[in-house]
Amino acid sequence: MDLFSEEKTLLKLPNAEILYIENFYDSSTADHYFKILKETITWQQDDITIFGKTYKQPRLTALYANNEKPYSYSNITMTPHRFTTELLEIKSNIEAEINNQFTTVLLNLYRDGNDSNGWHADNEKELGENPIIASMSFGQTRPFHFKHRTLKEQRHKIDLNHGSLLVMRGEMQHHWLHQIAKTKKTIGERINLTFRTIQ
């Protein structure tokens, strides 16, 4: 089986462009990366404060980069580790596919259906005006929900499969919110890598 699949979907939406490649990596390659990332990444669980109450973030995270620039979101500031060999391989493959360079990757480990990521946009100022975010998924398929901030009829869902790549471009982070919702279903682990460029 080819490492890369030609199955590509390009969605042109109001104020956004989304590229989805369902089989960016074949199953065996995706299995390989899932196992290595699960075992070698320095995972952490930060506290997050919402409306004055502090909770454990409902997933594990990690930040890796080719520099020492921190990344802040939701009153959490993360300091990066240096890219591992496997992260550099994945980064290089994505960069070759979409012709864009990245400095940093934020990783999320969703351990089960209770782990989630609420409605948000990747609109932190250090990402620049119209950031390109490349989201690589390994493990359990989870639905990616996204909705327009003002056009209420613009609500969509994409199932992010094992080995799939989702790229968000254009003005999307200004006009859209996205989430990985909780589920009561019994499901397995998912590792998500979101590549970005810290200005």
Side-chain angles (χ1 to χ4, degrees):
M1 191 175 189
D2 290 338
L3 180 64
F4 300 115
S5 166
E6 291 306 313
E7 297 174 18
K8 302 177 185 178
T9 302
L10 183 63
L11 300 174
K12 293 204 171 184
L13 301 166
N15 312 114
E17 185 178 287
I18 291 180
L19 172 67
Y20 182 58
I21 306 177
E22 184 174 5
N23 298 303
F24 184 75
Y25 286 120
D26 63 41
S27 181
S28 62
T29 306
D31 287 346
H32 165 74
Y33 281 128
F34 179 89
K35 182 175 186 296
I36 288 179
L37 294 171
K38 172 84 184 300
E39 294 173 353
T40 63
I41 292 300
T42 304
W43 299 104
Q44 64 191 65
Q45 187 175 24
D46 293 300
D47 290 331
I48 187 167
T49 301
I50 302 172
F51 301 121
K53 291 190 175 181
T54 300
Y55 308 89
K56 288 290 184 188
Q57 201 170 22
R59 62 190 180 281
L60 305 184
T61 61
L63 188 72
Y64 284 73
N66 61 11
N67 55 47
E68 297 180 356
K69 293 181 180 178
Y71 179 58
S72 299
Y73 67 97
S74 300
N75 295 316
I76 295 170
T77 298
M78 302 182 72
T79 301
H81 304 278
R82 300 297 288 188
F83 277 128
T84 65
T85 299
E86 291 77 24
L87 289 174
L88 285 172
E89 291 170 358
I90 297 167
K91 183 170 91 80
S92 178
N93 290 335
I94 294 172
E95 289 173 341
E97 175 69 36
I98 68 172
N99 192 29
N100 187 77
Q101 304 294 308
F102 298 103
T103 65
T104 306
V105 62
L106 176 64
L107 298 94
N108 295 288
L109 171 56
Y110 299 87
R111 296 159 294 181
D112 55 32
N114 290 315
D115 278 359
S116 62
N117 198 345
W119 288 112
H120 70 284
D122 297 313
N123 57 0
E124 292 77 20
K125 65 180 185 300
E126 59 260 48
L127 297 180
E129 184 176 357
N130 289 319
I132 296 174
I133 308 290
S135 175
M136 187 77 231
S137 295
F138 298 114
Q140 177 72 50
T141 297
R142 297 284 294 261
F144 174 82
H145 296 268
F146 53 110
K147 64 181 181 179
H148 199 281
R149 289 178 185 269
T150 56
L151 302 175
K152 299 306 181 186
E153 74 281 4
Q154 289 289 337
R155 296 179 68 101
H156 305 277
K157 181 187 82 167
I158 299 175
D159 286 331
L160 300 182
N161 296 324
H162 185 44
S164 68
L165 175 67
L166 177 94
V167 182
M168 296 179 279
R169 294 193 280 221
E171 300 176 307
M172 183 162 181
Q173 305 307 322
H174 298 286
H175 296 279
W176 294 76
L177 300 171
H178 55 272
Q179 73 164 352
I180 301 292
K182 292 181 188 295
T183 177
K184 294 189 182 303
K185 295 179 183 176
T186 300
I187 60 171
E189 296 172 312
R190 171 180 182 256
I191 293 175
N192 171 240
L193 289 66
T194 52
F195 288 92
R196 63 216 36 226
T197 299
I198 303 291
Q199 303 288 335

